[in-house]
Amino acid sequence: MVMRYKRFLLTCAMLFVIALAWNAVLHFVLFAKINAIVRPLYRPNLEDKIWLSLLLTAGVVTLFVIGHQRFTRSSSIREGAKYGLFFAAIAGLLVDLNQYVLYPIPGPVALLWFLGGLIEFTLYGVLTSKLLSKPSPESPSA
């Protein structure tokens, strides 16, 4: 039980670090020019809210790992990737499409954000499957 808890925390911590790195590269390097289009919509005091963004990232990766544990049957890469795609689709609809509807964001920007999320969460699914392998039915629970 303790080992599974440690693996859960390790998985969440690793995904948190990967999320920070992924989003930094995606938004500040690859999508820098694209994101400049929507920069006028940012809060004027965005730096004051960075702690909230970090908390949100930790919450998303924790919910991702909990969902993976709850809804996947095995620890295969294929199932992890499928779960990641499913999670990305839900997140994309709730976040990217909703922002496109609410704010004057160009469609291609929202689409690129959505595609970035598909890649990101598919990667998370694969990594989570490898880090949180489920015990086989014939082996005792860890």
Side-chain angles (χ1 to χ4, degrees):
M1 178 75 159
V2 172
M3 184 58 143
R4 291 191 77 192
Y5 183 68
K6 285 181 181 179
R7 290 181 80 160
F8 173 84
L9 290 176
L10 175 65
T11 301
C12 290
M14 287 186 68
L15 290 185
F16 178 76
V17 170
I18 291 168
L20 294 179
W22 170 265
N23 284 292
V25 169
L26 190 70
H27 293 289
F28 297 127
V29 178
L30 298 176
F31 291 174
K33 289 180 182 176
I34 294 164
N35 286 339
I37 296 168
V38 297
R39 191 158 293 123
L41 299 174
Y42 288 2
R43 290 178 169 275
N45 60 343
L46 186 60
E47 298 81 25
D48 295 343
K49 304 288 187 221
I50 196 72
W51 67 271
L52 190 54
S53 181
L54 295 172
L55 185 62
L56 176 64
T57 301
V60 168
V61 298
T62 301
L63 289 174
F64 183 89
V65 174
I66 290 170
H68 185 279
Q69 284 186 311
R70 173 67 180 91
F71 296 113
T72 60
R73 286 180 236 128
S74 70
S75 293
S76 71
I77 290 175
R78 183 179 195 168
E79 191 170 23
K82 283 182 184 179
Y83 173 74
L85 284 170
F86 176 75
F87 194 96
I90 291 172
L93 290 173
L94 292 172
V95 177
D96 303 323
L97 182 59
N98 192 43
Q99 287 183 347
Y100 174 73
V101 170
L102 291 174
Y103 306 110
I105 295 171
V109 172
L111 179 62
L112 284 172
W113 288 346
F114 178 75
L115 293 174
L118 285 177
I119 296 167
E120 177 181 12
F121 286 108
T122 301
L123 173 66
Y124 293 173
V126 169
L127 291 172
T128 302
S129 287
K130 292 296 116 201
L131 294 169
L132 281 183
S133 59
K134 294 189 178 213
S136 63
E138 57 273 352
S139 71
S141 293

